[in-house]
């Protein structure tokens, strides 16, 4: 029995690429694999509490159709691969509550463009995953859904806001999944859950109004491997009729390789004045050393940013768009909202900068990074400053990082600058483990719209470091 359980666990951690290979040679059936994953989910939930919507019957029917297409040689790019979809991404006829009691009973009238594309490519949406309320925190709990826990250490959160997807991938519920990112919400759970997560440049992946017009906001892929992340990105990227801002002709990122000989890598530990927990700094330095050993031309640099200016710049933007939307819900449904949602909306009432001043600051922030990209191909920096958020803690008074108290919980992450500088593609890749057993990660930031370079260097980090494979890098569950 123990041997069979281990075999089923190993099966659950196959990558999407491995699954497609085995489905193609028919050594594994999409139905058999999906049933294994479903059994695993039912065994581990609700202890992890990553899943808020199960779609098993429809998924099994779709798996049988995928198996038939493999038999007839008509398989599609993701055929038979289970995909964990963030509940924020609507699916027609299914719940769309965004973790809020204020939207209890809300049903989506349409499919999100990325859901549409995943299903058209043969991907099977079997579960939809938890978020904090309205995706407004870097951890993952809500009054509606309870606390989502990190499979690496249940005392901690898997991060947010795409925390349910991060936890689901780490737990072996699916090899790939979707996230969204307005302040780090793909990269934060990717880092804390020990997976890869890609924030595409703005306009690369289509979204829905009104947030498709918000340059801070990005939808993108998450996966247990960089190659799988690229596979999903190639499926979901490109112009869509619903999104006027979406760009045509996306570059193909699958197969970008992992060769970094001669690639110029700038390593910035603190992005200005960010404090770091010791394990984050150690693992980032180790990653830089491994890239140098692989042939990259690595140089440590500094940037003149400050956390205060980054926060004030972002706050001006949030106040005008996301903050305005959540404040309207707060005014009508305050008693139904989570404490952190009310705190976020209240804080938006007192932004230090106006929207135009914020735009001026955004331009000023780009100047030093733009100059840096005249000399370097990528910037590598930590994804998180902290080793993790305690599960269920709202951090209303901020967070302690590296012996310093920071006034806002989002500053436990080092992701926000790259929502401000939204045209830069950013891939978060695991860099090691913290002292608490929670993974750490690094961000690979490329020049605007140079997606392939971000994947190339990210794949190299995975290859020389702690890449998440089903044999070497996964939590014990």
């Amino acid at each position: 029995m123990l041997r069979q359980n281990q075999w089923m666990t190993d099966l659950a951690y196959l990558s999407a690429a491995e699954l497609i290979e085995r489905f193609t040679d028919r050594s594994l059936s999409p139905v058999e694999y999906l049933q294994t994953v479903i059994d695993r989910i039912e065994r581990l939930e609700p202890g992890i509490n990553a899943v808020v919507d199960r779609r098993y019957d429809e998924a099994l029917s779709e798996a049988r159709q995928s198996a038939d297409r493999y038999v007839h040689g008509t398989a599609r790019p993701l055929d038979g691969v289970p995909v964990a979809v963030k509940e924020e991404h609507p699916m027609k006829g299914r719940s769309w509550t965004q973790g809020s009691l204020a939207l209890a009973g809300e049903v989506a009238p349409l499919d999100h463009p990325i859901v549409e594309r995943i299903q058209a490519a043969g991907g099977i949406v079997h579960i939809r995953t938890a978020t904090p309320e309205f995706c407004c925190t870097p951890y993952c709990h809500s009054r509606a859904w309870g606390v989502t826990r990190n499979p690496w250490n249940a005392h901690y959160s898997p991060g947010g806001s795409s925390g349910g997807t991060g936890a689901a991938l780490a737990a072996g519920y699916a090899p790939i999944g979707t996230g969204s990112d307005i302040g780090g919400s793909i990269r934060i759970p990717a880092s804390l859950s020990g997976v890869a997560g890609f924030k595409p440049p703005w306009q690369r992946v289509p979204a829905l109004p009104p947030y498709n017009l918000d340059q801070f906001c990005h939808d993108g892929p998450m996966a247990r491997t960089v190659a799988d992340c690229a596979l999903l990105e190639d499926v979901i990227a490109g112009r869509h009729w619903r999104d006027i801002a979406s760009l045509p002709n996306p570059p193909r990122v699958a197969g970008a390789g992992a060769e970094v000989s001669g690639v110029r890598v700038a390593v910035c530990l603190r992005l200005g004045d960010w404090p770091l927990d010791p394990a984050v700094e150690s693992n980032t330095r180790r990653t830089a050393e491994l890239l140098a050993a692989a042939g990259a031309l690595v140089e440590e640099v500094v940037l003149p940013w400050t956390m205060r200016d980054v926060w004030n710049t972002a706050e001006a933007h949030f106040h005008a768009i996301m903050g305005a939307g959540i404040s309207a819900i707060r005014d009508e449904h305050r008693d139904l909202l989570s404490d952190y949602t009310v705190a976020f909306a209240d804080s938006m009432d007192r932004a230090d900068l106006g929207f135009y001043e914020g735009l001026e600051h955004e331009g000023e922030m780009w100047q030093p990074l733009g100059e840096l990209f005249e000399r370097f191909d990528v910037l590598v920096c930590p994804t998180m400053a902290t080793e993790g958020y305690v599960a269920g803690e709202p951090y209303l008074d901020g967070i302690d990082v590296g012996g310093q108290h920071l006034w806002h919980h989002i500053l436990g992450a080092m992701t926000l600058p790259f929502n401000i500088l939204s045209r830069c593609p950013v891939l978060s890749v695991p860099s090691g483990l913290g002292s608490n057993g929670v993974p750490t990660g690094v961000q690979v930031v490329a020049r605007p719209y140079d997606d392939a370079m971000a994947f190339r260097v990210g794949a190299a980090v995975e290859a020389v470091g702690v890449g998440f494979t089903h044999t070497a890098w996964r939590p014990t569950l």
Side-chain angles (χ1 to χ4, degrees):
M1 177 62 74
L2 286 175
R3 187 174 299 171
Q4 171 147 0
N5 287 343
Q6 183 60 53
W7 175 81
M8 292 179 71
T9 297
D10 290 344
L11 192 64
Y13 280 99
L14 291 175
S15 70
E18 290 169 321
L19 287 173
I20 291 168
E21 182 178 340
R22 292 191 59 177
F23 294 161
T24 300
D25 69 19
R26 297 170 64 188
S27 62
L28 180 65
S29 160
V31 178
E32 176 188 9
Y33 178 76
L34 179 59
Q35 189 61 61
T36 297
V37 166
I38 290 172
D39 291 345
R40 182 173 181 82
I41 294 168
E42 293 309 300
R43 180 170 66 84
L44 296 177
E45 292 285 299
I48 294 172
N49 195 30
V51 180
V52 298
D53 183 20
R54 290 160 168 81
R55 194 174 168 274
Y56 293 163
D57 290 343
E58 299 94 330
L60 285 166
S61 175
E62 291 162 11
R64 287 188 284 272
Q65 294 170 34
S66 287
D68 188 63
R69 285 193 289 271
Y70 278 106
V71 169
H72 291 93
T74 57
R76 304 166 186 172
L78 290 180
D79 234 320
V81 177
V83 185
V85 166
K86 188 175 183 178
E87 198 262 6
E88 182 203 17
H89 293 142
M91 289 189 75
K92 185 175 182 179
R94 303 198 74 86
S95 68
W96 195 25
T97 68
Q98 300 179 65
S100 182
L101 296 174
L103 298 184
E106 187 82 8
V107 174
L110 75 164
D111 289 330
H112 192 285
I114 64 176
V115 171
E116 176 187 309
R117 286 179 171 171
I118 286 166
Q119 293 190 302
I124 297 174
V125 180
H126 62 310
I127 54 173
R128 298 171 69 234
T129 58
T131 69
E133 187 170 49
F134 300 124
C135 299
C136 66
T137 68
Y139 42 80
C140 195
H141 68 265
S142 68
R143 288 177 63 187
W145 291 330
V147 179
T148 301
R149 299 186 179 275
N150 195 319
W152 294 85
N153 181 341
H155 185 61
Y156 286 84
S157 173
S161 66
S162 309
T165 296
L169 298 176
Y173 292 2
I176 56 177
T178 71
S180 62
D181 191 316
I182 200 169
S185 287
I186 287 172
R187 291 159 289 154
I188 292 167
S191 179
L192 295 176
S193 301
V195 302
F198 182 56
K199 181 203 78 69
W202 182 56
Q203 303 174 300
R204 181 72 78 207
V205 173
L208 292 172
Y211 283 102
N212 64 313
L213 301 176
D214 182 348
Q215 67 181 30
F216 277 29
C217 197
H218 315 258
D219 295 292
M222 300 172 68
R224 288 200 296 264
T225 70
V226 171
D228 281 359
C229 204
L231 175 68
L232 183 52
E233 173 65 10
D234 281 346
V235 166
I236 63 178
R239 189 187 69 83
H240 191 283
W241 72 269
R242 288 192 185 277
D243 184 356
I244 191 173
S246 57
L247 293 173
N249 306 317
R252 182 173 173 80
V253 293
E259 174 56 54
V260 290
S261 180
V263 174
R264 299 166 298 172
V265 178
V267 175
C268 187
L269 289 171
R270 299 180 184 276
L271 295 185
D273 63 349
W274 249 280
L276 296 177
D277 281 343
V280 173
E281 179 169 354
S282 175
N283 290 343
T284 304
R285 289 191 181 279
R286 172 180 170 272
T287 298
E289 292 166 359
L290 291 168
L291 284 173
L297 306 176
V298 178
E299 181 181 331
E300 188 170 337
V301 301
V302 296
L303 284 164
W305 300 335
T306 68
M307 287 183 293
R308 175 56 68 181
D309 193 49
V310 168
W311 171 250
N312 287 346
T313 302
E315 185 182 48
H317 187 99
F318 288 146
H319 169 75
I321 304 177
M322 182 180 180
I326 294 178
S327 293
I329 296 173
R330 173 206 58 190
D331 294 344
E332 186 175 355
H333 299 290
R334 178 184 285 265
D335 292 345
L336 294 176
L337 302 182
S338 298
D339 50 5
Y340 56 75
T341 308
V342 173
F344 175 82
D346 289 349
S347 73
M348 291 297 104
D349 293 340
R350 45 183 192 271
D352 288 344
L353 300 177
F355 188 73
Y356 178 78
E357 292 174 294
L359 291 178
E360 290 183 315
H361 281 241
E362 290 178 29
E364 291 167 4
M365 277 190 63
W366 168 247
Q367 291 305 308
L369 185 58
E371 290 176 8
L372 200 68
F373 280 139
E374 290 295 294
R375 296 195 297 123
F376 295 95
D377 300 303
V378 295
L379 171 71
V380 171
C381 63
T383 307
M384 304 297 298
T386 179
E387 291 185 37
Y389 298 96
V390 174
E393 169 63 47
Y395 292 94
L396 299 182
D397 297 320
I399 184 172
D400 293 327
V401 178
Q404 183 175 336
H405 183 74
L406 306 181
W407 64 91
H408 198 281
H409 50 61
I410 189 59
L411 297 174
M414 300 172 73
T415 52
L416 195 51
F418 308 110
N419 294 89
I420 296 171
L421 307 176
S422 64
R423 277 69 170 177
C424 293
V426 187
L427 180 66
S428 182
V429 189
S431 63
L433 292 174
S435 61
N436 55 5
V438 172
T440 62
V442 293
Q443 298 178 93
V444 179
V445 185
R447 294 187 182 104
Y449 297 103
D450 191 0
D451 307 30
M453 180 59 75
F455 275 96
R456 179 178 167 189
V457 176
V461 171
E462 181 182 67
V464 301
V466 293
F468 198 150
T469 71
H470 65 280
T471 57
W473 176 252
R474 67 188 185 207
T476 301
L477 292 169

